[in-house]
Amino acid sequence: EIFMTHNRDLSGRHVVQLAKILSQIDTSMIAMAAECNERWRFLRSTAHSELFSAQALESFSQIRLEKAKEMLDFLASKDGEVVKISDILLATSANIMSNAMVSQDIVSWKNIGEVRRCIRRLLEFGIPGLADLFPAIGCLDFWTKQKAVECTRILRETWIDIVSKRRGGRADVAFSSRDFLDVLIENSFDDYQIYNLL
């Protein structure tokens, strides 16, 4: 009865204060949605079919091979030098994911440190603040509001050029060469929702 009939009523989830401050984040991020409504189901099914289905994962196999080869070539070019392997693996995995989503690299071998700092900063935004522990002081939680502004800035700077260029072109893209960003644009997602999903 609980799972089949009343699952939506009883599937309450705690959403951090940051998600309540950022506008539209609950309709554009699967993890930050306050409730499992139709929009949430659509986002989940789209992400599953376009990124995580067996067919999608198989279609990305060539990208994975190319990026692994690029990583090995880069390591071979650094023969005799000290390299930070965690940075190399971060760049490779980030580029594999970005090629699956937007068909291009977002990390170059030169800006790995900057990307690592940006990712660490974004992960810090998920850390609960005082307003998450004491909801009554939510209106006084200026630290979370400042984090929200910074989070929005980072997401916008990361994706704005890619999204605006894609909106200007690739209208006649073949179905087989579409990526996750093309699907989001076709389904009328606005720029802010796309930044959050990517």
Side-chain angles (χ1 to χ4, degrees):
E1 183 81 11
I2 287 171
F3 289 118
M4 299 298 294
T5 309
H6 301 292
N7 62 333
R8 191 175 291 187
D9 298 329
L10 298 170
S11 63
R13 47 203 305 161
H14 175 72
V15 180
V16 293
Q17 184 71 12
L18 180 67
K20 297 172 187 169
I21 294 171
L22 292 171
S23 63
Q24 298 182 357
I25 203 163
D26 60 330
T27 61
S28 57
M29 282 190 81
I30 298 170
M32 293 291 190
E35 58 180 280
C36 303
N37 55 20
E38 294 306 317
R39 181 68 167 184
W40 180 85
R41 288 173 193 250
F42 172 75
L43 291 175
R44 186 183 66 169
S45 64
T46 302
H48 177 267
S49 63
E50 299 297 328
L51 293 175
F52 306 119
S53 65
Q55 181 181 358
L57 291 173
E58 180 61 31
S59 69
F60 303 145
S61 61
Q62 188 60 36
I63 293 171
R64 292 192 298 271
L65 287 173
E66 287 174 16
K67 296 304 158 190
K69 185 178 182 316
E70 285 177 17
M71 178 183 70
L72 293 173
D73 291 344
F74 177 76
L75 288 172
S77 72
K78 297 291 183 181
D79 187 25
E81 297 179 36
V82 176
V83 294
K84 192 168 183 180
I85 198 70
S86 62
D87 285 352
I88 306 301
L89 293 173
L90 171 69
T92 302
S93 58
N95 285 336
I96 288 171
M97 290 186 288
S98 70
N99 272 276
M101 293 189 297
V102 297
S103 300
Q104 69 182 69
D105 291 346
I106 60 166
V107 181
S108 72
W109 300 115
K110 296 175 183 175
N111 71 347
I112 297 172
E114 178 186 331
V115 171
R116 186 182 67 247
R117 285 190 297 275
C118 181
I119 290 172
R120 188 171 292 146
R121 189 84 178 105
L122 286 172
L123 290 174
E124 288 174 3
F125 295 139
I127 298 172
L130 280 176
D132 294 307
L133 301 173
F134 307 103
I137 64 167
C139 60
L140 302 173
D141 190 8
F142 299 108
W143 182 68
T144 301
K145 292 176 184 175
Q146 184 179 1
K147 281 196 334 183
V149 170
E150 180 69 9
C151 178
T152 303
R153 183 191 64 78
I154 290 173
L155 290 172
R156 187 173 189 279
E157 286 178 0
T158 304
W159 301 113
I160 188 169
D161 289 339
I162 296 169
V163 173
S164 60
K165 285 178 186 172
R166 186 66 59 86
R167 285 195 187 277
R170 281 184 64 143
D172 59 340
V173 67
F175 184 81
S176 60
S177 60
R178 289 186 323 154
D179 57 25
F180 190 56
L181 179 55
D182 291 320
V183 173
L184 297 178
I185 291 172
E186 287 169 14
N187 285 286
S188 303
F189 280 75
D190 63 33
D191 287 356
Y192 187 78
Q193 291 172 323
I194 291 174
Y195 301 154
N196 289 329
L197 277 166
L198 297 179

